[in-house]
Amino acid sequence: MSDNAAELYKRIKADPEKTQRLFCQALQDPQGALNAICQLGTQLGLPVTSDEVKAYLSGLDDSDTKQWLIKARGGL
């Protein structure tokens, strides 16, 4: 599993506006949200693949994230 995915998740979670924007996008366009996460990783020097993001998120023991995944599961 990518250390980049963990660091990227930490940075996204620390920015409530970014978190909310990605959540809203995931509800309407889950694959687009996943692509946006990967693009953000590249911009921040933390490149990740969609599979790395999915694996990292599915392994978290965080109820908020699990709820997010349930709502956005179509693409994630």
Side-chain angles (χ1 to χ4, degrees):
M1 191 170 318
S2 170
D3 289 336
N4 285 354
E7 179 60 27
L8 182 57
Y9 177 80
K10 185 172 116 179
R11 291 188 190 187
I12 290 170
K13 194 168 181 177
D15 184 337
E17 183 179 318
K18 191 172 291 172
T19 301
Q20 184 64 29
R21 191 171 51 246
L22 285 168
F23 176 75
C24 290
Q25 182 177 4
L27 291 175
Q28 296 176 16
D29 179 15
Q31 190 60 45
L34 185 57
N35 291 339
I37 291 167
C38 293
Q39 288 175 354
L40 180 61
T42 299
Q43 291 170 0
L44 295 174
L46 298 166
V48 292
T49 66
S50 58
D51 288 338
E52 289 171 329
V53 172
K54 289 188 246 182
Y56 180 75
L57 292 176
S58 68
L60 287 177
D61 187 25
D62 173 353
S63 62
D64 290 338
T65 301
K66 288 184 190 256
Q67 189 67 1
W68 191 88
L69 288 171
I70 288 167
K71 290 180 181 180
R73 69 178 172 245
L76 297 174

